[in-house]
Amino acid sequence: MKGFSKVFGIFISLLLAMSLSACASDAPSGSEGPDYADDEVMASIAQGLENRFDTADAQDAAGAEVNAEYYANVINEELDQVLPYRDRQFEDSDLQEAVLSYANILEDSLELTETYPVDSIEFLDEWTALYNERTVPLQQFVNDYHLTVDEAHQDTLDELLVNANAVTQRTQTEDAVNALAGSITFEQQDDGYGSYTYIATVENTSGINFGSFGLVLALYDDDGVRVEETYASVSSWAAGETVRFEAYGTTGATQIKVSVDYYEVEE
């Protein structure tokens, strides 16, 4: 029995060794984990930008008509470099999100060339919006992921980054303005004879100096129906300053919703 146990033990050891060998042979040779795109994508985006800039310059030099084909040519130079990364894995999820967003903006730009005539107001408005949107991830690529282009294309990239800074600042201002307006609560004063005054005393906590600031008050009745709109404004409003807003109407409102009508930022 002792001899049998010894033979059985050797047999089991051989089976384990064969199983481990089979598992090792199934694994990809030299595999060290997922093939992440993080270390490749910036070079591809840079190449797409340089190709786009060169194609635009070549078309301009040739006197090409600025039409849908003109725009499609330059957009596709970037898409050819960026789209392959849609199916790649990224280690940095923020980078992946930015790359996918950039690809979507480029595709939206290409679709726009097929939607409106390029000399129409609709095209110009949406192209400008997409241009502004496109420069923001480019700024992120430069600041956070060290995107660079060669010296011949640096000035063109710098123009995009200047625009991105303006877009970012404008977005931050709009967010601060909307947050400030959203914090305002008006009290209703019954003046008699069907007249009402709506009053709010508010501190400017936005950190922004305003040359003017206007609000819209939407007035709702007991049934939740908006029955009137009225307006309140101040001619100037410094950061940290407290002002009094007053509006007038003929509705004894159950609910008052406040939104921004206009504002002017003082430099």
Side-chain angles (χ1 to χ4, degrees):
M1 291 296 293
K2 290 183 178 179
F4 175 78
S5 298
K6 183 175 182 181
V7 171
F8 183 73
I10 293 172
F11 176 70
I12 293 298
S13 297
L14 287 172
L15 285 178
L16 288 172
M18 291 172 64
S19 176
L20 291 172
S21 176
C23 290
S25 64
D26 289 340
S29 178
S31 175
E32 297 181 357
D35 180 22
Y36 291 124
D38 302 50
D39 59 349
E40 304 171 31
V41 67
M42 285 303 107
S44 295
I45 290 174
Q47 187 63 63
L49 284 169
E50 293 175 0
N51 292 348
R52 177 175 183 148
F53 300 159
D54 288 339
T55 298
D57 289 343
Q59 291 186 132
D60 292 341
E65 181 183 356
V66 181
N67 53 20
E69 182 181 3
Y70 177 101
Y71 283 102
N73 288 340
V74 296
I75 296 167
N76 279 319
E77 292 291 351
E78 285 199 90
L79 277 173
D80 289 346
Q81 295 293 327
V82 177
L83 283 183
Y85 289 94
R86 269 194 173 155
D87 301 322
R88 296 288 301 277
Q89 286 184 284
F90 286 77
E91 191 169 16
D92 185 334
S93 60
D94 291 336
L95 175 58
Q96 182 177 27
E97 182 179 352
V99 171
L100 294 178
S101 174
Y102 194 69
N104 290 338
I105 294 167
L106 292 173
E107 286 196 317
D108 288 345
S109 301
L110 186 61
E111 182 179 348
L112 181 61
T113 67
E114 302 167 356
T115 304
Y116 299 111
V118 300
D119 57 352
S120 65
I121 295 297
E122 293 84 358
F123 178 87
L124 179 60
D125 287 345
E126 293 200 30
W127 180 264
T128 300
L130 285 167
Y131 172 82
N132 290 337
E133 191 177 349
R134 171 174 158 253
T135 61
V136 174
L138 279 177
Q139 183 183 52
Q140 182 182 0
F141 295 151
V142 170
N143 292 343
D144 297 343
Y145 301 103
H146 312 296
L147 171 69
T148 60
V149 295
D150 61 30
E151 186 176 356
H153 301 93
Q154 187 61 50
D155 287 347
T156 309
L157 177 59
D158 286 344
E159 291 176 7
L160 294 169
L161 298 179
V162 168
N163 187 81
N165 286 331
V167 171
T168 300
Q169 184 175 3
R170 185 163 60 248
T171 300
Q172 291 172 345
T173 298
E174 290 174 355
D175 289 345
V177 167
N178 289 328
L180 179 58
S183 70
I184 298 174
T185 300
F186 277 83
E187 295 182 0
Q188 182 175 262
Q189 175 181 298
D190 188 345
D191 299 327
Y193 304 101
S195 296
Y196 297 86
T197 301
Y198 312 96
I199 302 168
T201 302
V202 190
E203 180 185 356
N204 179 0
T205 58
S206 69
I208 302 169
N209 295 319
F210 296 107
S212 60
F213 200 97
L215 300 169
V216 179
L217 283 65
L219 309 178
Y220 292 78
D221 65 14
D222 292 338
D223 296 322
V225 177
R226 186 179 64 189
V227 294
E228 187 180 355
E229 286 186 345
T230 186
Y231 302 87
S233 64
V234 290
S235 57
S236 64
W237 195 10
E241 181 182 21
T242 299
V243 298
R244 178 186 173 97
F245 285 97
E246 290 189 5
Y248 305 94
T250 58
T251 300
T254 301
Q255 183 181 18
I256 303 172
K257 293 184 180 180
V258 181
S259 58
V260 178
D261 186 24
Y262 62 86
Y263 64 90
E264 178 188 2
V265 176
E266 284 189 342
E267 299 297 334

